[in-house]
Amino acid sequence: MTRHDEDSPRLDHQLCFALYAAQRAVTAAYRPLLDELGLTYPQYLVLLVLWERGETTVKELTEALHLDYGTVSPLLKRLESAGLVRRERAPHDERTVLVACTGRGEQLKDRAARVPGALLTATGLEAAEVARLREELHRLAARAQAAAERR
């Protein structure tokens, strides 16, 4: 591919579209696995953070997920309605909302632990390929974030 081809306004030459299509396909591959857990993909991501960190603030959750409060708040409301998380004001600061898994949310962790392996099986990817791809994507995200901050 020449430099001219890379600069061409063709859809299949756009990095953003390749990332978008891959993200949609991966999310679709997760869907049946998460349906078994009664979760949407964004809800799964929230629970992953809580399983990893334990009780955390909404602010820390939004930062970990790279989402804004307006996106995370409805997710938490639905997870709370499902009995998987609890939210409460921090005793030391009423402005801070703490989020933690309930016992039911913690129980879901064991079933969810099978999701990554099932995704590997479904996609035919090897663990080393996933690790390499994840590393590249993290590097791309950091560079894109830095570029956005410079503007």
Side-chain angles (χ1 to χ4, degrees):
M1 183 181 295
T2 67
R3 177 72 180 168
H4 175 73
D5 288 339
E6 291 173 7
D7 292 338
S8 171
R10 293 176 46 133
L11 182 63
D12 63 340
H13 291 180
Q14 305 305 308
L15 174 63
C16 60
F17 182 71
L19 288 167
Y20 172 76
Q23 181 269 324
R24 287 185 49 85
V26 170
T27 301
Y30 269 98
R31 191 168 294 116
L33 303 170
L34 297 177
D35 282 348
E36 292 177 23
L37 302 175
L39 297 173
T40 64
Y41 181 71
Q43 291 170 341
Y44 173 67
L45 297 180
V46 168
L47 289 173
L48 284 173
V49 173
L50 294 174
W51 291 328
E52 180 182 332
R53 297 182 180 190
E55 184 177 75
T56 189
T57 67
V58 172
K59 183 176 192 257
E60 291 167 338
L61 199 54
T62 62
E63 289 169 358
L65 296 170
H66 303 277
L67 296 171
D68 59 50
Y69 179 81
T71 302
V72 171
S73 185
L75 286 171
L76 293 174
K77 186 179 267 189
R78 284 191 292 277
L79 287 167
E80 190 173 38
S81 293
L84 299 173
V85 303
R86 65 174 167 71
R87 292 182 292 174
E88 59 188 35
R89 299 272 174 200
H92 64 281
D93 181 356
E94 284 290 312
R95 297 169 297 178
T96 301
V97 177
L98 299 171
V99 183
C101 283
T102 61
R104 190 168 165 210
E106 286 294 336
Q107 289 172 350
L108 201 55
K109 182 179 179 180
D110 290 337
R111 289 178 51 210
R114 295 181 222 138
V115 170
L119 184 70
L120 288 180
T121 300
T123 60
L125 291 169
E126 298 291 327
E129 289 176 287
V130 171
R132 199 169 38 256
L133 182 57
R134 186 178 48 239
E135 220 173 272
E136 288 288 329
L137 290 170
H138 284 306
R139 195 168 26 258
L140 174 61
R143 288 179 175 183
Q145 181 66 39
E149 290 171 358
R150 284 193 298 268
R151 295 186 187 254

